[in-house]
Amino acid sequence: MSHKTRFVALLAAGALMLPLAACASTTPGGAANCNVGITMPTRSLERWINDGEQLQKKLKDAGCTVDLQYADNKVDQQISQIQNQIAGGAKILVIASIDGTALGPVLEEAAKQTVKVIAYDRLINGSPNVDYYATFDNYKVGQLQGNFLKDQLKLDSAAGPINFEPFAGSPDDNNAKFFFAGAWDVLLPYVQKGTLVVPSGKAPKSNDEWTSIGIQSWQSDKAQAEMDNRLSSFYTGGKKVQAVLSPNDSLAIGIVASLKSAGYAPGADYPMITGQDGDKANVKAILAGEQAMTVWKDTRKLGDRVFTMIQQITKGEKVEVNDEKTYNNGVKVVPSYLIEPEVVTKDLVQSKLIDSGFLKASDVGLG
Ligand code: BGC
């Protein structure tokens, strides 16, 4: 190589190094160790699309390498996505699991490669190789739903009996257990007293029996079919359902569709239905009087928290958590950061969801 070509080659190498150096200064702990694999359950639910894209953007803006994958609610697909991320050099995995008990072997592989694992929103069970958990206070989500029904139906003073139908989330999702327990701790005493009656008989006798009314994969159409069955078998002779515990918005969509096809319309005889997430279709349903509330989880806050965790990991700092007792995954208590959920009703849509920029007014037909 002549002096001249060597000089040009050096210049080119220098030019190549410049953006890397610039990157490293804005990257949490340097670009090299900020290589993140994100796996989300499905694109069929609005919240997971927002969750994934927001976190990906934040990390990319900070100069991290990011791979974001969705698995169509298929466990095997999610496992192979995680395997590919490990093989591709990811140093941190952010996983919103489909089945919280199915990831043990792949996380063993991650641990061998000293990859850190953050369970995102849903706990990963049965594995020692889960380093942190970032989520909303899932028990509180259920409590907010239960207390909403208790207050709105005035269960302490109402004579009853009030016709009520409870639903629970996907049996493979650890969160669903917490949502149900939070709501059932409030509502079960009123079922036992007879203020609430469950004509379908589908009222778990204890929190542990929640899977008996769980809707697999949180599917709207399965919730709709279940509600259709309950209405056609147990609501005959003019009997009307007055309240439904729906643990999230995707189930509420199915329940509302079933009610509509059975002839229910918003108004005095329309049942009170709960939800969770603040999806656009459900906010529209709230504004139309078809759903009474949703428990809003500002997923931007969850993304910000996970971003902070990643920064702390890459800088070798202590990772901040605020709960070290609630989330035992069967092998260990996973250090967790819990974020507060909030109730949104019709009169709070503007101030909570739109003014904060979570949704656009035009998304929900307001302006
Ligand atoms: C999440 C909820 C979501 C549900 C269905 C749960 O694990 O916490 O926000 O509605 O999954 O995807």
Side-chain angles (χ1 to χ4, degrees), residues 41-42 45 47-48 121-122 135 138 173 175-176 179 217-218 247-250 276-277 297:
T42 169
L45 225 79
R47 74 150 291 186
W48 300 119
D121 196 78
R122 299 172 171 174
T135 191
N138 294 308
D173 179 352
N175 285 354
F179 301 147
S217 304
W218 296 94
N248 89 333
D249 281 353
S250 63
Q276 162 184 202
D277 288 333
K297 304 195 299 191

Side-chain angles (χ1 to χ4, degrees), residues 130-349:
V130 187
D131 298 285
Y132 304 102
Y133 180 34
T135 191
F136 290 84
D137 185 336
N138 294 308
Y139 182 85
K140 176 113 187 253
V141 169
Q143 226 179 11
L144 291 172
Q145 294 165 339
N147 279 325
F148 179 85
L149 291 178
K150 176 183 156 192
D151 295 344
Q152 296 297 313
L153 300 167
K154 302 191 173 51
L155 294 181
D156 280 328
S157 55
I162 294 169
N163 295 329
F164 164 64
E165 295 295 332
F167 282 70
S170 191
D172 53 6
D173 179 352
N174 194 62
N175 285 354
K177 175 176 82 183
F178 282 87
F179 301 147
F180 189 75
W184 216 228
D185 281 345
V186 177
L187 299 173
L188 181 59
Y190 298 99
V191 175
Q192 287 165 341
K193 257 192 262 175
T195 320
L196 291 174
V197 290
V198 181
S200 68
K202 298 195 173 181
K205 301 222 168 2
S206 72
N207 293 355
D208 294 342
E209 288 175 31
W210 70 275
T211 52
S212 65
I213 55 163
I215 299 291
Q216 185 60 42
S217 304
W218 296 94
Q219 280 181 15
S220 306
D221 54 347
K222 291 199 173 128
Q224 182 170 354
E226 171 64 19
M227 192 66 191
D228 285 348
N229 281 337
R230 295 196 200 183
L231 290 176
S232 61
S233 312
F234 304 101
Y235 289 80
T236 50
K239 187 180 283 196
K240 292 273 183 197
V241 59
Q242 293 162 285
V244 182
L245 171 69
S246 167
N248 89 333
D249 281 353
S250 63
L251 265 57
I253 291 283
I255 293 163
V256 167
S258 169
L259 287 165
K260 276 191 185 166
S261 65
Y264 287 79
D269 281 343
Y270 191 81
M272 197 154 282
I273 302 162
T274 59
Q276 162 184 202
D277 288 333
D279 285 351
K280 287 174 200 156
N282 298 77
V283 175
K284 284 188 186 161
I286 290 175
L287 294 171
E290 295 168 350
Q291 183 175 326
M293 61 90 87
T294 190
V295 177
W296 175 42
K297 304 195 299 191
D298 189 343
T299 45
R300 295 168 301 184
K301 289 188 187 162
L302 184 56
D304 288 350
R305 175 47 51 186
V306 172
F307 180 71
T308 302
M309 284 179 161
I310 292 171
Q311 280 181 309
Q312 288 166 338
I313 292 170
T314 52
K315 287 184 187 155
E317 291 171 0
K318 187 172 165 27
V319 172
E320 190 189 346
V321 293
N322 64 8
D323 183 295
E324 295 191 75
K325 62 176 196 320
T326 310
Y327 289 97
N328 187 326
N329 79 347
V331 178
K332 69 186 221 188
V333 174
V334 183
S336 307
Y337 197 103
L338 308 186
I339 300 168
E340 287 293 294
E342 292 177 59
V343 169
V344 170
T345 49
K346 196 175 192 165
D347 50 342
L348 293 172
V349 167

Side-chain angles (χ1 to χ4, degrees), residues 97-104 122-127 172-174 329:
S97 59
I98 296 163
D99 180 337
T101 60
L103 301 181
R122 299 172 171 174
L123 186 62
I124 297 168
N125 279 310
S127 169
D172 53 6
D173 179 352
N174 194 62
N329 79 347

